[in-house]
Amino acid sequence: GAGVSQSPSNKVTEKGKDVELRCDPISGHTALYWYRQRLGQGLEFLIYFQGNSAPDKSGLPSDRFSAERTGESVSTLTIQRTQQEDSAVYLCASSLPGNYGYTFGSGTRLTVV
Amino acid sequence: AQSVTQLGSHVSVSEGALVLLRCNYSSSVPPYLFWYVQYPNQGLQLLLKYTSAATLVKGINGFEAEFKKSETSFHLTKPSAHMSDAAEYFCAVTVNTDKLIFGTGTRLQVFP
């Protein structure tokens, strides 16, 4: 596609429920990244994919968080048993390897009530 | 490990005034440095990047930044602010990896 697409754009969920966030990167971008942005804060790195493998998942905050990528395209970030501190905007970005010019999606705003 | 520090979480300028947003980096090896802008309710957009070529980097919308190794700085400037420049600005660093480390951001307000 022309840009990085994320869905849903907004998600309100009850504490304890599981959520799935989707990222559709730019076609041909083999590198894909997930970041979290809490209100009024900077971007917190979560995980990086190169193709279908994740060489760096050091930012995943707990084992409730997981991500996968299939077919070198779509990625899903899953948060199990959501907690209120998971409320944030989850941003996805993609790039060509070594390009260092990320293209970001508009994010998914997750609110846990 | 590399990091960036953005001095000033909020900066206010008058329209037409100089914009200066500060970023200092920490890295044991030569870094690549970036500035991104985030308009309300939007994703981040790349303004400019330094990747070890010219130390003065020009970006979109009239912004530029200068890499100063002696000061470990990569400050973002624009000679004359426009109302449309009001946004959140993020400095980021990477060293031979594809993972960007972001600063905490600086919110720029522009007054008429």
Side-chain angles (χ1 to χ4, degrees):
Chain A
V4 177
S5 177
Q6 291 189 247
S7 61
S9 55
N10 279 285
K11 176 73 177 178
V12 179
T13 189
E14 292 181 353
K15 179 180 173 182
K17 295 283 179 71
D18 297 353
V19 294
E20 227 177 56
L21 313 181
R22 177 188 168 106
C23 173
D24 209 334
I26 291 174
S27 178
H29 280 194
T30 56
L32 185 147
Y33 316 82
W34 284 98
Y35 284 82
R36 178 169 72 177
Q37 186 178 26
R38 289 191 167 124
L39 186 64
Q41 298 186 24
L43 278 74
E44 178 187 5
F45 170 78
L46 297 178
I47 187 169
Y48 152 55
F49 286 94
Q50 179 55 46
N52 296 338
S53 66
D56 190 345
K57 53 179 81 170
S58 61
L60 294 178
S62 74
D63 58 8
R64 295 188 295 106
F65 287 72
S66 63
E68 65 176 22
R69 187 179 185 195
T70 55
E72 291 198 351
S73 58
V74 173
S75 175
T76 54
L77 177 68
T78 301
I79 309 173
Q80 295 179 308
R81 306 182 302 282
T82 51
Q83 304 295 313
Q84 287 187 327
E85 64 262 27
D86 300 333
S87 295
V89 175
Y90 290 82
L91 290 164
C92 176
S94 71
S95 77
L96 295 169
N99 179 273
Y100 303 121
Y102 290 10
T103 300
F104 278 86
S106 297
T108 294
R109 182 176 300 277
L110 175 67
T111 304
V112 182
V113 298
Chain B
Q2 63 270 26
S3 66
V4 288
T5 301
Q6 292 185 243
L7 298 174
S9 58
H10 289 82
V11 170
S12 297
V13 299
S14 298
E15 193 172 21
L18 171 71
V19 176
L20 171 60
L21 305 182
R22 298 177 186 275
C23 174
N24 287 89
Y25 69 90
S26 173
S27 176
S28 57
V29 297
Y32 292 171
L33 293 156
F34 304 79
W35 276 99
Y36 281 82
V37 60
Q38 185 178 33
Y39 298 102
N41 299 314
Q42 295 187 28
L44 276 74
Q45 180 181 1
L46 180 66
L47 269 180
L48 49 80
K49 62 182 177 182
Y50 166 76
T51 55
S52 75
T55 56
L56 181 62
V57 182
K58 295 186 184 298
I60 61 172
N61 301 337
F63 284 93
E64 62 182 38
E66 186 171 8
F67 173 71
K68 291 187 176 180
K69 183 179 179 180
S70 61
E71 298 177 9
T72 61
S73 69
F74 191 58
H75 301 330
L76 181 71
T77 61
K78 182 174 180 177
S80 176
H82 293 164
M83 297 295 291
S84 60
D85 294 328
E88 185 103 24
Y89 291 80
F90 292 93
C91 182
V93 64
T94 189
V95 177
N96 293 332
T97 72
D98 286 308
K99 180 173 74 179
L100 288 184
I101 305 299
F102 286 84
T104 52
T106 297
R107 183 169 298 281
L108 176 66
Q109 282 187 301
V110 182
F111 294 101

